Amino acid sequence: MCRCTNRVRGTRPRPHGYEPIGSERRVGRPRQRDPAEADGMAGGAREVLTLQLGHFAGFVGAHWWNQQDAALCAPSEADAPPAELCPDVLYRAGRTPHGRETYTPRLILMDLKGSLSSLKQEGGLYGDAQLDAAIAWQGKLTTHKEELCPKNPYLQDLRSAEGVLSSDGIWRVKSIPNGKGPPPLATATAPKPLIPTESSIRVWSDFLRVHLHPRSICVIQKYNHDGEAGRLEAFGQGESILKEPRYLEELEDRLHFYVEECDFLQGFQILCDLHNGFSGVGAKATELLQDEYSGRGIITWGLLPGPYSLREPQKNIYRLLNTAFGLVHMSAHSSLVCPLSLGRSLGLRPEPPVAFPHLDYDATLPFHCAAVLATTLDTVTVPYRLRSSPVSMAHLADLLNFSGKKVVMAAATIPFPLVPGQSLPDALVQLGGPTAWTPLSACGDPCGMRCFAQSVVLRGVDRACHTSRLAPGMPLPSPLHACSTGEDVLAQYLQQQEPSVRSSAHLLLAPCKVAPPYPHLFSPSLGQRGLLLDGSPPGAGTLPFLSLCSRGEHPSSRGPLLLFCPEPDPGRLG
């Protein structure tokens, strides 16, 4: 369950492929459009363009797109609820020059030199655009090739399972897991999927399982990802990047490419590193978007990795200053800004990472931290990705910042406390108030803050559990048990907890789906459907939402998810 809230400390709630656009090529996972989807989107999908700025943003984004891919490719089940989220909001359909229908993220990604590992800047489905270009020179040529980075074993296993790149440059796909497209190849036994180990993950491209469009990746050659020299460490360095015509024109060209093909662009979501020089890149990017596309929603997710070390005082000063400058500048040009981190503080006082009773993660590993934050994002962004009655990005921002404060705070309950056979009213009564939610914005102790606006998302609860199962004539334990629908139960719960708060709530049947290479983070006390097993300690968990993947022993979210609470923050950094 996700909750977005607007809070102020010590105040009362206020009332109330490098191809030209003309010959576009779209590459990625082939996909046939469902007729029911076309009917549901008769008015057109309200597209969102995603920008990922920075290497930790790349980690979060890789998990995010893997989760979207898992939802797209999940095998249909007889009892599966109808699709509630519209993938066209985040993805774009197209066709390759060879006539194959494709589906790729609507994404612009910026990172530093050396950050891609074995991933090609133009993507993995086409040959090298520069080598394939016609060469007018008739004399002798000498070719110097840089040694290729070894490909992660997981990616080798994944690509061999999906298909092969033939000698004619066409990607031959073996099968499409979601049942759309050509039938799967017959095999004697399905191989167990290879799950990457933490030690094999060096960069985000080591576990990215989706194919990207050639216009997605933009590499900043001026700074290095590895080494001590040529690092992008300061806010001012990042600002200066988009003041250079080379990078500014490249970003504008990619923006125009994606925006001009949209019919109903609702806005931009930005995943941006706050702790390094990419905070300056994000500041200039949001300024550019506000100038070029005024009236569109701009929601910025400021990302920070886990806890830091006191043994690096200079880096800690940079981190603090970059975060402060980034929040100030990006909030000036964004509709909404939300910091996301598993650390408890943005300041110089180190604190232990946040803890979830049913998650066992290593806060020093970006691979783990990014997985938790990506799962949070997948739920908190639900309102503007709904297929029916969606809330636009601009309206969501208006809900949360009507007081004039654009920086909000997120909180999560993972997993939601639901046991087999329990109803939603019983679970919410047992959950109690907002103190059961874990803050994810590194804003310190939320005690003393008052919430005056919130957006809440609860997903993955079966319809049979939405209302009370008490026999007729039995006394009602609470007003929640008198509600006739799950939506009314959730709305009544929020009204009881904070009656003066302006609230928006969404209840979804479908869970948040994850699949390999999502790390093993979830406790054995969660059952097959993501519910707490009998015998689990009381209050040990807060949101059943993961189960075993049908292809192996990997957790995949299936149960309910109570997750997010952004709230305007007064600017405190510790």
Side-chain angles (χ1 to χ4, degrees), residues 128-135:
D128 192 314
Q130 295 178 351
L131 294 180
D132 293 341
I135 300 176

Side-chain angles (χ1 to χ4, degrees), residues 1-5 7 356 411-413 416 428 431-439 446 454-456 493-494 542 562-565:
M1 182 174 182
C2 252
R3 180 189 180 209
C4 286
T5 64
R7 299 172 181 256
F356 296 92
T413 302
F416 180 79
L428 290 176
L431 177 66
T435 55
W437 298 2
T438 302
Q454 62 184 357
S455 174
V456 178
Y493 167 77
L494 298 175
T542 41
L562 164 61
L563 199 60
F564 178 76
C565 163

Side-chain angles (χ1 to χ4, degrees), residues 491-531:
Q492 178 68 27
Y493 167 77
L494 298 175
Q495 176 66 20
Q496 283 184 356
Q497 296 298 324
E498 295 175 296
S500 60
V501 171
R502 188 180 182 184
S503 299
S504 171
H506 294 87
L507 179 62
L508 275 67
L509 298 175
C512 171
K513 295 184 181 294
V514 298
Y518 199 91
H520 291 276
L521 305 180
F522 306 102
S523 167
S525 60
L526 298 179
Q528 178 92 16
R529 304 290 296 180
L531 303 179

Side-chain angles (χ1 to χ4, degrees), residues 89-111:
V89 173
L90 299 174
Y91 279 76
R92 58 193 298 278
R95 193 177 297 275
T96 69
H98 304 288
R100 191 167 191 86
E101 190 174 348
T102 60
Y103 208 50
T104 52
R106 189 178 296 106
L107 168 68
I108 298 174
L109 183 155
M110 300 185 75
D111 210 336

Side-chain angles (χ1 to χ4, degrees), residues 396-531:
L396 179 63
D398 289 342
L399 165 72
L400 296 175
N401 68 12
F402 72 96
S403 65
K405 290 183 175 291
K406 294 183 180 180
V407 181
V408 300
M409 191 185 90
T413 302
I414 307 175
F416 180 79
L418 191 67
V419 298
Q422 188 179 35
S423 69
L424 179 59
D426 290 334
L428 290 176
V429 169
Q430 181 181 356
L431 177 66
T435 55
W437 298 2
T438 302
L440 291 179
S441 291
C443 292
D445 187 359
C447 295
M449 292 186 182
R450 297 293 298 273
C451 171
F452 58 87
Q454 62 184 357
S455 174
V456 178
V457 178
L458 173 61
R459 62 190 300 186
V461 181
D462 291 338
R463 192 181 299 276
C465 301
H466 282 187
T467 55
S468 174
R469 301 176 181 178
L470 294 177
M474 293 288 292
L476 300 178
S478 75
L480 303 182
H481 292 76
C483 298
S484 58
T485 67
E487 289 77 7
D488 290 343
V489 171
L490 185 55
Q492 178 68 27
Y493 167 77
L494 298 175
Q495 176 66 20
Q496 283 184 356
Q497 296 298 324
E498 295 175 296
S500 60
V501 171
R502 188 180 182 184
S503 299
S504 171
H506 294 87
L507 179 62
L508 275 67
L509 298 175
C512 171
K513 295 184 181 294
V514 298
Y518 199 91
H520 291 276
L521 305 180
F522 306 102
S523 167
S525 60
L526 298 179
Q528 178 92 16
R529 304 290 296 180
L531 303 179

Side-chain angles (χ1 to χ4, degrees), residues 265-443:
L265 179 70
Q266 61 169 309
F268 307 85
Q269 60 178 11
I270 302 175
L271 281 62
C272 180
D273 288 2
L274 281 181
H275 61 291
N276 54 35
F278 272 101
S279 62
V281 178
K284 294 301 292 184
T286 53
E287 181 180 355
L288 172 65
L289 294 176
Q290 186 185 50
D291 292 342
E292 294 283 337
Y293 307 100
S294 61
R296 309 294 184 182
I298 304 173
I299 296 184
T300 301
W301 307 100
L303 305 172
L304 298 106
Y308 51 91
S309 173
L310 283 177
R311 291 174 293 182
E312 301 176 318
Q314 183 175 358
K315 288 186 177 180
N316 289 334
I317 293 295
Y318 273 125
R319 177 188 55 80
L320 178 62
L321 294 177
N322 291 334
T323 301
F325 284 132
L327 288 176
V328 170
H329 285 78
M330 284 188 277
S331 63
H333 305 294
S334 301
S335 307
L336 202 68
V337 176
C338 179
L340 287 177
S341 174
L342 296 182
R344 294 181 184 271
S345 171
L346 297 178
L348 293 176
R349 297 188 300 270
E351 297 185 27
V354 299
F356 296 92
H358 285 271
L359 291 184
D360 182 16
Y361 70 95
D362 186 344
T364 64
L365 294 177
F367 182 56
H368 282 193
C369 295
V372 178
L373 297 183
T375 302
T376 304
L377 276 174
D378 191 48
T379 297
V380 73
T381 58
V382 157
Y384 56 82
R385 296 193 288 130
L386 289 171
R387 187 180 299 276
S388 61
S389 303
V391 177
S392 70
M393 300 177 77
H395 289 166
L396 179 63
D398 289 342
L399 165 72
L400 296 175
N401 68 12
F402 72 96
S403 65
K405 290 183 175 291
K406 294 183 180 180
V407 181
V408 300
M409 191 185 90
T413 302
I414 307 175
F416 180 79
L418 191 67
V419 298
Q422 188 179 35
S423 69
L424 179 59
D426 290 334
L428 290 176
V429 169
Q430 181 181 356
L431 177 66
T435 55
W437 298 2
T438 302
L440 291 179
S441 291
C443 292

